Amino acid sequence: MLGLKMRWVERVVGSNRILLYLSGVTLVLSAGAGFVMRWVEPEVFPTVGTGVWWAVVTFCTVGYGDVVPKSAFGRLVASLVMVFAITFITMVTALVTSALVTGAQRRREEAESAGHPSVHEALAAIEERLERIERRLG
């Protein structure tokens, strides 16, 4: 199951659509958090737009502080948004990095199995040639 998920992540990262996916997830989560904050604290967040603005700023870990929840429940929601945002950014970074490294390893293995020498083998061959040239020259 994990292998299937990693292949999906590799495909998404490799297809150059990762920015589109990340933007979509961020937009959906920010909109959801904005609606929740409008419902929880209507006096602080008079419009859904204000709630979404706060959520985007919080989700992106910028935190301007122009709109701040006042009630305990609002702060609880804000805490959940912050923890989720930090976790989400960390997980996305780890998944993208893992997919890139796995893809590079797979390409290297395919090149080696196709008869292309590894970098270490190629360097060893170059060093050997240089030593033979140096011996002939002097």
Side-chain angles (χ1 to χ4, degrees):
M1 184 70 175
L2 182 61
L4 181 64
K5 288 181 182 179
M6 283 306 299
R7 286 193 196 115
W8 179 81
V9 170
E10 288 174 29
R11 239 188 346 235
V12 169
V13 171
S15 71
N16 296 325
R17 286 186 272 179
I18 188 70
L19 187 59
L20 180 65
Y21 287 118
L22 291 177
S23 299
V25 168
T26 303
L27 182 63
V28 168
L29 293 174
S30 297
F35 278 104
V36 169
M37 289 309 282
R38 166 73 175 116
W39 175 72
V40 170
E41 291 197 22
E43 61 282 345
V44 177
F45 300 91
T47 65
V48 172
T50 305
V52 171
W53 165 253
W54 168 83
V56 168
V57 168
T58 303
F59 198 86
C60 295
T61 68
V62 174
Y64 288 126
D66 54 345
V67 184
V68 182
K70 305 276 189 240
S71 70
F73 190 59
R75 289 181 179 173
L76 175 66
V77 171
S79 298
L80 293 174
V81 169
M82 287 183 267
V83 169
F84 182 80
I86 291 168
T87 303
F88 180 75
I89 290 169
T90 304
M91 291 299 293
V92 167
T93 302
L95 286 171
V96 169
T97 303
S98 176
L100 291 172
V101 168
T102 302
Q105 287 174 337
R106 183 178 299 125
R107 285 189 299 276
R108 185 173 43 243
E109 289 169 1
E110 288 171 358
E112 288 175 2
S113 67
H116 299 292
S118 71
V119 173
H120 297 294
E121 292 169 346
L123 283 174
I126 291 170
E127 286 178 358
E128 186 179 316
R129 283 183 70 190
L130 283 173
E131 286 177 10
R132 281 194 312 241
I133 291 170
E134 287 175 346
R135 275 183 281 178
R136 284 184 185 171
L137 292 175

